[in-house]
Amino acid sequence: MSTRKWVLVGMVVGLGCFVFSGVATAQDAPQVELQVGDTAPRFEGTDEMGKSWTLNDRIGKKFIVVYFYPADFTTGCTRQAEAWRDNMNALVDADIEVVGISGDSVENHKLFKDVWKLNFSLLADEEAEIPEQFGVPVRRGGRSRPRGPDRQPLLDESGEPLVLERNATFVRWTFVIGKDGKIAYKNTKVNPLKDSEQVLAFIQSVQASEE
């Protein structure tokens, strides 16, 4: 998708809506089955600003939360991102860095982050290379028609309703990578509203046991 100016309708802090292009179909079952205690894949990606984000640069410094989600601007994904955003002070205090990953483009991520004022990185993985390393199931891509808080469509520069496309849709899984570079936590049945609180409670319990 080419870089364009986006015109936001009304306020830009509400829930978006989402429409699939066709029915998503699961691809072949992933071959990787990471378990707690396994060494985390040393992946790298591109964030919403087009900059490189590398796990190796962060190992040993903080707990790294890697959460895979289906798409920018879906209701569930928006609420999940809001919860991470709103809990960020407590997460930072607990020595945690958060990164979200979906099959959306850099441009989609930038819009999503700007609209929702997100305070953590989003990685664009249009070829679904990172979820494959973690064993996260991937489905066919789709299209989003995001809306603002007033439930009016976001418009492009020509005044037409904005349509976002993505190549792949990831299942919602969350991992925590410990400072030792190993998988410390894995959740394949993520509740988007409770994800950040559950991860924070887990890491705080780990830290308390180490004192």
Side-chain angles (χ1 to χ4, degrees):
M1 180 182 297
S2 60
T3 303
R4 299 183 293 178
K5 291 183 178 179
W6 306 115
V7 180
L8 304 183
V9 176
M11 296 171 61
V12 288
V13 289
L15 289 176
C17 74
F18 172 79
V19 177
F20 271 117
S21 176
V23 178
T25 56
Q27 296 182 349
D28 293 339
Q31 300 300 308
V32 175
E33 293 187 6
L34 284 180
Q35 303 298 331
V36 170
D38 290 345
T39 298
R42 296 305 197 259
F43 69 93
E44 61 181 286
T46 303
D47 70 14
E48 73 286 341
M49 299 303 294
K51 297 180 179 179
S52 177
W53 190 103
T54 304
L55 181 63
N56 271 341
D57 293 340
R58 293 160 170 82
I59 291 294
K61 300 176 182 178
K62 297 182 179 181
F63 290 91
I64 308 299
V65 175
V66 180
Y67 84 91
F68 296 90
Y69 66 98
D72 294 337
F73 287 104
T74 66
T75 298
C77 295
T78 299
R79 289 176 175 170
Q80 184 180 18
E82 282 186 288
W84 286 115
R85 179 199 67 196
D86 294 345
N87 283 325
M88 192 54 63
N89 286 341
L91 292 162
V92 170
D93 288 344
D95 217 15
I96 300 168
E97 179 174 353
V98 178
V99 60
I101 307 176
S102 80
D104 285 277
S105 66
V106 168
E107 291 84 1
N108 289 3
H109 278 339
K110 187 176 188 309
L111 179 63
F112 188 43
K113 186 168 181 175
D114 287 348
V115 168
W116 290 100
K117 303 185 187 305
L118 303 180
N119 47 12
F120 55 89
S121 296
L122 300 175
L123 303 190
D125 188 7
E126 297 185 77
E127 302 305 319
E129 295 174 348
I130 302 174
E132 181 179 352
Q133 296 177 60
F134 281 79
V136 177
V138 177
R139 301 189 175 103
R140 192 173 65 187
R143 307 173 75 191
S144 299
R145 297 181 183 275
R147 294 177 181 269
D150 55 2
R151 300 198 178 277
Q152 295 301 308
L154 303 185
L155 305 181
D156 64 21
E157 61 183 0
S158 66
E160 296 297 321
L162 188 61
V163 177
L164 307 181
E165 297 184 2
R166 68 186 184 286
N167 289 340
T169 301
F170 308 158
V171 173
R172 197 186 310 277
W173 285 17
T174 297
F175 295 83
V176 173
I177 301 172
K179 294 182 181 180
D180 59 0
K182 295 182 179 181
I183 301 296
Y185 172 99
K186 175 182 178 180
N187 185 359
T188 63
K189 299 183 183 298
V190 176
N191 180 324
L193 295 179
K194 297 180 179 181
D195 194 25
S196 63
E197 293 179 358
Q198 291 172 338
V199 167
L200 179 60
F202 168 77
I203 294 177
Q204 288 175 332
S205 70
V206 170
Q207 292 170 326
S209 69
E210 294 175 344
E211 293 178 352

